[in-house]
Amino acid sequence: MAARQRATRFIWIGAIALAVIGVAAATRRALVLFWPGVFAGNYPPAAAMDTGFSRHMALTLVHILPGALFLVLALLQFVPSIRAKHLQVHRWLGRILVVSGLVIGISSLVMSFTMNIGGSNETAATTLFGILFLFCLIKAYRHIRRKEVAQHREWMIRAFAIALGVATTRPIVGMFFAFRKLTPHEFFGIAFWLGFTLTFLAAEAWIDYTRDHAIQAHAFADSIHDRA
């Protein structure tokens, strides 16, 4: 029990940290788009990226604003007390989550081919995981419509992990910038492959680690609701 509690705390800390990074990145990007003279970067590679995003301002905003919303709402959806005590809130937030997820998933596929920095390597990573994100999101929705809560949980964890993968690329990109061994065109694809893969594998490990416990918990909750 103590080991499970420590593992749960570790996962929550990691998820919150990555969500904060993702929301901060989206906020910074929006500020640069609206007020480039104040918030745009002076470091040449960063300035070049800011210019690239500014050429596709509408597409970027359609992607990053629902993306930030998705990260915040997904965290709330995994809070046990909200699900247990405020089921209707959980359901309505879930509907908003699915809509925002569809928007960011589709927009990410468009961005993969119109405004990538790392060339074909980045396009391959973002396209693969963009499709996988949409697949996980739709699977999660279909399971909850059938009241298959345990399966819904697992597919939502996978979708959330892919969304967090975008945030995971930020510190990875930062390390590449710090060492300056490769150009952004060379390392952006690598960063995206690493970011998405690390969080997705972590999600699979967590699903496997908690599957039996989650099934028992959902079965107990269903029995309580049936008696009520």
Side-chain angles (χ1 to χ4, degrees), residues 7 25 29 46 51 53 67 71 73 94 100 104 117 135 160 163 167 180 215 218 222:
R29 177 59 54 207
T51 301
F53 281 109
L71 292 176
L73 292 186
S100 62
I104 63 176
I117 297 168
F135 178 78
F160 186 40
R180 300 186 185 183
I215 291 174
H218 289 309
D222 290 341

Side-chain angles (χ1 to χ4, degrees), residues 181-202:
K181 298 293 184 181
L182 300 172
T183 66
H185 179 77
E186 293 171 322
F187 68 66
F188 252 71
I190 300 172
F192 273 97
W193 279 113
L194 288 173
F196 285 127
T197 302
L198 286 172
T199 54
F200 193 75
L201 290 178

Side-chain angles (χ1 to χ4, degrees), residues 59-223:
L59 177 59
T60 301
L61 290 173
V62 166
H63 182 70
I64 64 173
L65 297 181
L69 179 65
F70 185 92
L71 292 176
V72 174
L73 292 186
L75 279 176
L76 294 176
Q77 290 296 83
F78 285 110
V79 176
S81 59
I82 293 179
R83 295 199 308 271
K85 299 178 182 178
H86 307 284
L87 186 58
Q88 283 302 113
V89 173
H90 176 78
R91 287 172 175 168
W92 275 105
L93 291 181
R95 295 184 181 103
I96 298 172
L97 191 71
V98 170
V99 173
S100 62
L102 291 174
V103 172
I104 63 176
I106 294 170
S107 62
S108 72
L109 295 177
V110 178
M111 294 173 74
S112 297
F113 292 92
T114 58
M115 49 188 301
N116 68 77
I117 297 168
S120 59
N121 194 24
E122 179 187 339
T123 297
T126 53
T127 300
L128 173 62
F129 282 97
I131 293 172
L132 186 57
F133 171 79
L134 289 171
F135 178 78
C136 293
L137 192 68
I138 293 169
K139 285 282 287 183
Y141 176 77
R142 292 186 66 182
H143 280 301
I144 201 60
R145 293 291 296 174
R146 298 170 183 169
K147 301 188 184 303
E148 298 166 345
V149 180
Q151 295 93 326
H152 167 74
R153 167 188 174 271
E154 293 184 3
W155 286 103
M156 276 308 304
I157 289 175
R158 293 183 179 106
F160 186 40
I162 295 172
L164 290 178
V166 179
T168 309
T169 63
R170 267 49 186 185
I172 296 173
V173 166
M175 287 188 289
F176 276 115
F177 271 128
F179 289 107
R180 300 186 185 183
K181 298 293 184 181
L182 300 172
T183 66
H185 179 77
E186 293 171 322
F187 68 66
F188 252 71
I190 300 172
F192 273 97
W193 279 113
L194 288 173
F196 285 127
T197 302
L198 286 172
T199 54
F200 193 75
L201 290 178
E204 286 299 323
W206 181 247
I207 289 169
D208 185 66
Y209 180 69
T210 59
R211 179 171 286 134
D212 291 341
H213 177 76
I215 291 174
Q216 293 172 6
H218 289 309
F220 177 75
D222 290 341
S223 68

